[in-house]
Amino acid sequence: MEMIRKLTHKTRMFGELVMFSHTLFSLPFALISMVWAAGGIPAGRVLLWSLIALVAARNGANAFNRLVDWKFDAANPRTAHRHLPRKLLQKSEVAIFVAVNFAVFIFAAGMLNPLCLWLSPVAIALICSYSYTKRFTWLCHLYLGFTIASAPIGAWFAVTGEFAFTPFVLGTIVMLWIGGFDIIYATQDIDFDRDSGLWSVPSVFGLDEGLFIARGLHTIMVLLLFSLYFIMGLGWLYLIGILISSVLLAVEHNIIKPSSRKRMKIASYNLNQVISMVILLFTMTDYFLAMS
């Protein structure tokens, strides 16, 4: 029983470390991409290995980021409670966790098709390099979005093993969406980033300008979502989903208050998790109703 208790506790620690619930940011777009690529429900084997690859890549990337940034996390009062600064997990444990997840990702990619296998080391290099971008460029938010955009693009490759235009539109939408709300999130750390020599849009351009840029990214994101209505020949249910998501984005921008951690959590995380699920639900319902 003691061994089970310790294993459960350690599993929970790693789940908190990588913020496992945030998989909802990329997973819905990956599922949409797979369904569109397959022209319906993808084969069970493809679905299984794609989900394993997605979760493993995301876990490895988040844990790597925590490992690389632990000194900054320890120095920042907002993040000093995280697992590595508090030594709830050891750096060696996190390093092993990263290696295991990336190994699982490569294996899962190999189980899909040769293109996914060949691209898997490139994907690992991209998602790991994000952890260093805040040290030298305020474009770090878009780079984060770019790495997460690999989810719908990779999902398409997993199904077809070929390049296409549509997954890159989905990927661009994810990049702009993630980049925008990551800028919102970064408004909490303007002073710390400036004092620590870290780069972000808010620390370089200021609070108001940073939020203006975030609104601009999300506006372009919505326009691209509307473009998929024509590209994929979607229907009115899809448009309703995009309208609801647009309203939620507007709410997100209207409740921002960097001094309130609760509001920032709602704006940066909770609302965006709802947005991704709304897009998934309405897109898939529209798509499958049109097929029936």
Side-chain angles (χ1 to χ4, degrees):
M1 290 297 294
E2 180 64 19
M3 182 178 296
I4 295 176
R5 187 190 67 81
K6 288 182 178 179
L7 180 61
T8 302
H9 175 74
K10 192 68 71 174
T11 302
R12 181 171 62 84
M13 288 291 103
F14 279 112
E16 293 172 355
L17 176 80
V18 300
M19 299 181 291
F20 188 77
S21 62
H22 293 183
T23 306
L24 286 179
F25 294 141
S26 56
L27 180 59
F29 288 93
L31 290 174
I32 291 171
S33 184
M34 291 177 68
V35 168
W36 284 353
I41 302 295
R45 181 189 65 82
V46 173
L47 183 61
L48 173 64
W49 288 112
S50 296
L51 292 177
I52 291 174
L54 174 68
V55 172
R58 188 199 169 279
N59 285 348
N62 275 32
F64 182 81
N65 186 59
R66 291 287 183 263
L67 192 61
V68 169
D69 279 352
W70 79 269
K71 288 185 178 180
F72 291 116
D73 287 343
N76 186 342
R78 187 183 62 80
T79 57
H81 69 283
R82 289 177 175 171
H83 296 72
L84 284 175
R86 291 176 58 196
K87 298 184 178 179
L88 297 176
L89 290 170
Q90 301 301 314
K91 285 181 282 186
S92 58
E93 292 178 313
V94 176
I96 293 171
F97 182 80
V98 170
V100 169
N101 274 278
F102 283 155
V104 170
F105 168 63
I106 292 173
F107 180 79
M111 294 298 293
L112 288 164
N113 56 59
L115 179 61
C116 290
L117 178 60
W118 296 336
L119 289 176
S120 59
V122 178
I124 291 174
L126 287 174
I127 59 182
C128 287
S129 60
Y130 156 71
S131 300
Y132 298 97
T133 54
K134 202 172 182 180
R135 290 158 169 77
F136 62 87
T137 178
W138 51 267
L139 292 171
C140 53
H141 314 283
L142 280 175
Y143 193 87
L144 172 63
F146 172 69
T147 62
I148 297 177
S150 62
I153 296 172
W156 189 284
F157 293 164
V159 174
T160 67
E162 299 175 352
F163 287 86
F165 176 71
T166 301
F168 286 95
V169 177
L170 275 172
T172 303
I173 289 168
V174 171
M175 180 182 73
L176 295 170
W177 174 49
I178 297 292
F181 77 71
D182 193 55
I183 290 173
I184 293 172
Y185 186 76
T187 59
Q188 301 173 94
D189 295 327
I190 292 176
D191 293 334
F192 177 80
D193 287 347
R194 287 171 175 169
D195 293 340
S196 302
L198 295 174
W199 294 64
S200 71
V201 164
S203 69
V204 172
F205 297 101
L207 176 62
D208 293 338
E209 289 79 2
L211 293 178
F212 177 78
I213 292 171
R215 286 193 295 271
L217 294 178
H218 285 164
T219 299
I220 300 171
M221 167 205 171
V222 171
L223 292 175
L224 286 176
L225 281 168
F226 275 112
S227 77
L228 287 172
Y229 170 78
F230 301 99
I231 294 171
M232 294 300 299
L234 299 167
W236 61 271
L237 271 176
Y238 174 79
L239 291 179
I240 291 175
I242 301 312
L243 179 60
I244 294 172
S245 299
S246 300
V247 171
L248 290 173
L249 280 171
V251 171
E252 174 181 327
H253 284 273
N254 284 325
I255 66 172
I256 295 167
K257 188 177 181 182
S259 61
S260 171
R261 183 172 297 179
K262 182 178 180 179
R263 281 199 184 189
M264 296 308 290
K265 181 181 178 182
I266 294 173
S268 297
Y269 291 144
N270 301 105
L271 276 175
N272 284 296
Q273 289 175 332
V274 175
I275 288 169
S276 65
M277 294 307 296
V278 166
I279 292 173
L280 174 66
L281 175 63
F282 280 85
T283 301
M284 292 295 92
T285 303
D286 185 287
Y287 186 75
F288 284 113
L289 281 178
M291 291 179 62
S292 61

